[in-house]
Amino acid sequence: MTHPFLDLAPLSAARFASIEDRVARLLSTEQDVLIMQGEALLPLEGAIRATAGPGTTALNVITGPYGQTFGDWLRDCGATVVDLSVPFHTAVSAEQIRAAFAEHPEIDFVSLVHAEAATGNTNPVAEIGPVVREHGALFYLDAVASVGAEPVLVDAWGVDLCVIGAQKAMGGPAGVSAVSVSERAWARMAANPGAPRRSYLSLLDWKERWLDGGRRALPHAPAQLEMLALEACLDRIEADGLDAVMARHARAAAATRAGAVALGAGLEPYVYEAAESAPVATTLRAPSGVDASELVARALAADPALPLAAGGGALAKEMIRVNHYGPAATPGTVRGCLAALGTALTGKGLNADLPAALDAADAAWH
């Protein structure tokens, strides 16, 4: 039996390194970039455990569930954690970050999620980065959801550790991820006796066995299918042009938001301000008295392939997510989601104006 996924030639170290270089260009960085052989939680956790420990005072910004996870990891490492929580329907501001430094000048680490696909907000990293650098703190950024959907400018923003994944706006698989690492971050790891070593989580192992050797010999066999898929993602983004890919996501977000407002029936954007909403996904607040998870189930009954989901955990009853990223960032997907939601709302006895919603979405797209 032959199959395109089988009997593949080994992936060379040179080809692996070339993919890393292309990821670095995607992130507009001259820093080292490591491609990790697993979902983005691997470098997200590895980077925190490598750079934080007893003696670290971390400002952990919580604008969604991932910020909560980062705080747990930081505490587990022995760091002192200052949580800065903002309502999930908004974004954190540079002024709030500055105020946190004023209250806790000992902060030397800042963890932030760029775009929260789970809550639909995006944070102004371009404004926050200079504040973090002004105070000399190490800046850790989760850009898994934002890369490909909005600008991610690692060097310009002063990010020391930037983690991305391929599975959202890049339109690729979940099993491969990457992290950019600044010289400051490498130095912090080298000085941290608790940094993972001889471990799948270890970034220092990759540095010593891969980067320091000139990227001539891979430390272990790569996840070949995922690497080839990541390469294909980069091919597609480079062929279309990153600006065009980001513009498509922005149009999808604008069209979804406009269509949902016009649909009516009590449906409204979960993130209040359009400027604070993420282009990777639009979250909507279910009408009063309507269970969001039930509404999504009704919407998906006709077309289970639509990228609709209820919010996670405690948000399941109130939040609807339209995940218009990657191949779903199209007018057809937006229209399909609005039509399904309109049908589901009508089925609940609510007055949804689907023609107005589709007209508003089309106008916003164009």
Side-chain angles (χ1 to χ4, degrees):
M1 174 184 175
T2 60
H3 191 283
F5 292 166
L6 300 176
D7 304 318
L8 298 171
L11 193 72
S12 69
R15 189 168 181 182
F16 194 104
S18 73
I19 299 172
E20 287 183 331
D21 292 341
R22 292 169 71 184
V23 171
R25 289 195 293 273
L26 180 67
L27 299 178
S28 299
T29 185
E30 298 295 324
Q31 296 177 8
D32 292 325
V33 168
L34 290 173
I35 295 179
M36 305 299 288
Q37 306 295 280
E39 200 270 339
L41 283 172
L42 172 62
L44 285 169
E45 181 176 358
I48 280 180
R49 295 193 182 277
T51 51
T56 301
T57 299
L59 175 62
N60 180 53
V61 182
I62 301 176
T63 58
Y66 281 99
Q68 295 169 330
T69 297
F70 300 159
D72 291 340
W73 287 338
L74 287 161
R75 290 182 178 88
D76 191 51
C77 291
T80 299
V81 181
V82 177
D83 283 327
L84 173 54
S85 298
V86 302
F88 290 176
H89 61 253
T90 187
V92 74
S93 69
E95 290 72 24
Q96 289 172 299
I97 302 292
R98 192 180 299 279
F101 275 112
E103 186 175 354
H104 301 278
E106 69 277 16
I107 289 170
D108 60 1
F109 184 100
V110 175
S111 52
L112 176 70
V113 178
H114 186 187
E116 287 269 13
T119 51
N121 54 36
T122 191
N123 292 302
V125 186
E127 300 169 16
I128 292 168
V131 178
V132 177
R133 181 50 60 92
E134 176 186 332
H135 290 83
L138 206 71
F139 192 10
Y140 163 102
L141 184 69
D142 172 354
V144 174
S146 56
V147 66
E150 56 187 302
V152 178
L153 306 174
V154 168
D155 291 357
W157 294 345
V159 179
D160 294 289
L161 294 156
C162 182
V163 176
I164 67 166
Q167 70 268 31
K168 288 191 166 64
M170 292 182 71
V176 64
S177 50
V179 55
S180 65
V181 186
S182 72
E183 289 299 324
R184 292 187 342 132
W186 284 129
R188 180 79 69 98
M189 293 181 208
N192 180 11
R197 301 306 305 267
R198 296 168 295 282
S199 164
Y200 200 59
L201 286 172
S202 178
L203 300 183
L204 284 172
D205 288 357
W206 270 95
K207 182 179 188 301
E208 292 181 359
R209 299 177 61 192
W210 172 241
L211 296 178
D212 291 351
R215 300 191 299 178
R216 294 186 181 89
L218 286 161
H220 55 70
Q224 188 161 343
L225 289 175
E226 286 77 8
M227 289 297 295
L228 294 175
L230 175 59
E231 188 177 48
C233 288
L234 294 165
D235 287 343
R236 185 165 59 186
I237 290 171
E238 291 168 3
D240 291 345
L242 178 59
D243 287 345
V245 174
M246 292 191 296
R248 186 167 68 246
H249 283 84
R251 287 196 296 270
T256 302
R257 188 180 185 93
V261 170
L263 191 60
L267 196 68
E268 60 185 28
Y270 189 86
V271 178
Y272 293 168
E273 301 294 332
E276 296 178 345
S277 62
V280 72
T282 297
T283 48
L284 304 169
R285 194 178 300 276
S288 177
V290 176
D291 187 302
S293 58
E294 180 188 341
L295 193 67
V296 168
R298 283 175 172 266
L300 291 175
D303 186 355
L306 289 172
L308 289 169
L315 298 174
K317 290 186 177 297
E318 62 180 287
M319 179 189 287
I320 300 159
R321 286 170 47 195
V322 184
N323 297 314
H324 43 66
Y325 52 72
T330 65
T333 298
V334 172
R335 289 174 62 90
C337 289
L338 291 171
L341 289 171
T343 300
L345 289 165
T346 301
K348 294 288 290 182
L350 298 170
N351 186 22
D353 190 344
L354 182 56
L358 297 180
D359 286 347
D362 290 344
W365 187 281
H366 296 296

